[in-house]
Structure formats: structure tokens, C-alpha cells
Amino acid sequence: MTTKQANCSTIQEQSRSGGLSEVRVREQLPVRRPNIDIREMEDAFLIEAEMPGVRASDVELTLENGVLTVSAIAGDLEGTQTGGRFLVREFGRARFERSFRVPDVVDVEAIGAETRHGLLTVRLPKREQAKSRRIEVISGG
Amino acid sequence: MLTRTRNPFDALYDLRSEFDRIFQEFAPEARSLLPGRALVARAFPLMNLHESDEALVIEAELPGFTLDEIELSLLGRELTIQGRHEMAQERDGDAQRTERPSLSFSRTITLPYEVNPDRVEARLTDGILRVTMPKAESARARRIQVRGE
């Protein structure tokens, strides 16, 4: 099994008042919008995103104002070897990124993700009360 | 005299047309990697072809595929990569969005010269297929001694 748990952290940059804080400048990489499939199950939403070359440790999930952003930079591709040359180059280092508005029914604390064979799966469980429940109908005597 | 300052991207485009010549079967939708430009990937799979002194290396993006779903064949200079998903896995739930390309593909590329088929090696890591093809002796650059008198 090559399933690894991605570090799914809810990152919210907060500047401490008066403090000196670092501003991180992202690498100027081409941005790729990965193909995705979204499925809704009874108890969760599932996002599958194609991110070839991406390992769990490369993935960053950010939730801000109800918007979930999935971002990953594929680790160094082995193909970018020293020496030699590219005769054809259709892909290279890039940042995969997409954002989703998360519906209220999702329990944001329980969002989880994993990568497998270059496919990122994000699971967004629904809150208890949002799951459809079977209501028993009791016939009065 | 006409002096022209060339946009560095022009050189890239020239290179690109050279690629097109080498890659006879070429997917027009695949755009090259230019900075700041979003990629549209309709050719499947996207590929790189790298050449070093010892080998030709093909890389192909195959997210979600496993090795036993992929078939490689070499006929002369034509390398074909084919794949088919075993879609037995459960696809339950309501599909709200389906963008991932269809489950089978085939792409053939023409190598610039022949390679030794017995020594071709393929590896699949995190959805990237890497095919290493050592060059045949005849294709290798040889250092030729120049003798002085």
C-alpha cells in the first residue's frame, strides 16, 4: 500500500499585532488546474484530483472563509536529470491548485486527505445532523 | 542592417516546432510550459522525452494508474503506451463533477533512433511512468581520438 496520510492542516495565517511576521513568497511556478471528480455520498463528499508526481508531504490543504484550497508542488521530478536535454517537454515542475466552496453540512474539523498513485483524495465528512436519518414511524395503538 | 531583438519565447517556439517534427503524433491541445500560463492538458498522457549520453528517457503522467494496467510496446522506433483502468472499484455516491479523462488511452511516439528493446526499463512512481531506454551502441556518441603527427 502506498497510501499515506496527507498533513491536513487548517492553516490560517494570523499576524500578531505589532509583531514582525514573515511573508512567504511563493515560487513562480506554472499553475496547473488538476482534473477532478467530485462525488457525494450519504456521509461525505469526496474529491479526487489528478496530481502526478505529488506525495502526501507535498500537499497543502487550506480552509479560509469556507473555501478549501488544495495545493501541491510535485517533488523534484527525476527526469530533470543533470546533463542531457529534453527533446520533448510537455510537463515539468508546476503547482497544482484548486479551490472549493465547502457547504455548511461539512464537518470541517474532520476533513482528511491521502495520496495514492498520483491521485489525491480529499474526504469531507458531513456533520452528524446533516446525514439523512431514517425516522421510524410508530403506529399508535 | 536589420537587427532584431528576439523574445526569448520565440526560441522556445522554434524549439517547439522542432519537437513537433520529431513527435509526429503530436497532441495540438498540449501547450508548452511557459511561465505564468495555466496548462490545458487534453493530450493524455502528457509526456517528456529526455536524452542523455547513455539513454533516452520517456516520462508520462498517469495519475491513478498501476503498473499492471499499463502496457508498453516497442516496434522499431515507435513506442506505444497503452492503459486501461480496472474500474471494478466502487464508484458509489452521486457524481457531481467528472473531469478525469476516460479510462483507457493509447499514445505512440516516434523515438529519434532505435533503442535496444531488451534493456528497456519502466517504473511507475506516484503516477509518473518513467521508461529508460539505453541507447544502442550505434547511437552513442563516441570520442574519436585525433592524432597529431
Side-chain angles (χ1 to χ4, degrees):
Chain A
M1 273 290 248
T2 52
T3 308
K4 281 174 264 171
Q5 206 68 32
N7 40 333
C8 163
S9 47
T10 308
I11 300 160
Q12 221 117 41
E13 290 281 341
Q14 273 161 359
S15 59
R16 296 206 189 107
S17 54
L20 181 72
S21 59
E22 184 192 352
V23 176
R24 289 173 69 183
V25 179
R26 273 205 158 121
E27 234 180 306
Q28 287 301 299
L29 286 174
V31 176
R32 289 176 67 178
R33 196 165 171 267
N35 287 328
I36 55 153
D37 284 357
I38 298 178
R39 276 179 290 149
E40 180 177 359
M41 340 275 256
E42 202 183 322
D43 59 344
F45 291 93
L46 225 55
I47 303 171
E48 284 180 305
E50 293 187 337
M51 296 190 173
V54 165
R55 295 184 196 103
S57 55
D58 302 324
V59 178
E60 200 177 279
L61 297 183
T62 321
L63 186 68
E64 210 179 331
N65 301 325
V67 174
L68 177 75
T69 299
V70 179
S71 172
I73 297 171
D76 274 322
L77 297 168
E78 291 172 86
T80 51
Q81 308 105 328
T82 46
R85 63 193 176 119
F86 281 97
L87 302 177
V88 175
R89 187 153 209 199
E90 295 179 354
F91 68 92
R93 252 170 89 75
R95 182 158 52 88
F96 291 101
E97 189 172 295
R98 274 188 89 155
S99 297
F100 308 91
R101 185 159 297 283
V102 177
D104 289 337
V105 296
V106 168
D107 177 3
V108 294
E109 298 299 323
I111 295 174
E114 62 172 38
T115 56
R116 198 167 180 227
H117 307 311
L119 204 62
L120 173 77
T121 305
V122 185
R123 193 181 159 82
L124 302 94
K126 294 181 188 172
R127 270 184 241 278
E128 270 309 314
Q129 63 265 33
K131 293 174 192 166
S132 64
R133 246 174 299 180
R134 170 159 295 185
I135 297 161
E136 227 174 307
V137 181
I138 303 167
S139 65
Chain B
M1 195 171 127
L2 182 78
T3 320
R4 200 171 139 227
T5 314
R6 274 170 62 92
N7 178 325
F9 288 139
D10 286 347
L12 269 182
Y13 282 121
D14 289 351
L15 212 58
R16 191 59 196 229
S17 34
E18 188 68 8
F19 291 165
D20 289 3
R21 198 180 53 74
I22 299 168
F23 247 19
Q24 286 151 9
E25 187 268 325
F26 192 78
E29 299 92 338
R31 286 197 223 148
S32 48
L33 279 170
L34 297 179
R37 182 177 292 193
L39 285 180
V40 180
R42 292 221 192 81
F44 193 87
L46 287 188
M47 285 184 181
N48 289 337
L49 175 57
H50 184 271
E51 179 187 38
S52 69
D53 290 346
E54 293 81 35
L56 281 175
V57 177
I58 292 262
E59 291 172 313
E61 291 192 330
L62 294 168
F65 281 86
T66 57
L67 254 192
D68 44 328
E69 294 172 330
I70 298 166
E71 205 179 291
L72 277 174
S73 54
L74 186 65
L75 185 71
R77 284 164 53 205
E78 308 244 291
L79 179 78
T80 301
I81 302 179
Q82 288 179 82
R84 178 175 286 277
H85 259 314
E86 302 301 340
M87 220 38 193
Q89 56 208 119
E90 81 282 23
R91 301 286 293 177
D92 46 350
D94 291 339
Q96 297 210 328
R97 200 157 201 164
T98 307
E99 297 173 359
R100 297 183 50 212
S102 59
L103 303 168
S104 63
F105 69 87
S106 176
R107 191 165 173 195
T108 301
I109 55 167
T110 305
L111 304 174
Y113 37 78
E114 282 197 32
V115 293
N116 184 348
D118 298 331
R119 296 177 58 211
V120 173
E121 261 181 34
R123 250 178 343 123
L124 185 65
T125 316
D126 299 319
I128 294 188
L129 177 75
R130 202 150 183 275
V131 186
T132 306
M133 300 162 283
K135 288 187 187 174
E137 254 337 291
S138 58
R140 255 180 227 196
R142 243 169 297 187
R143 174 160 293 184
I144 295 159
Q145 283 234 300
V146 181
R147 288 175 198 216
E149 273 198 274

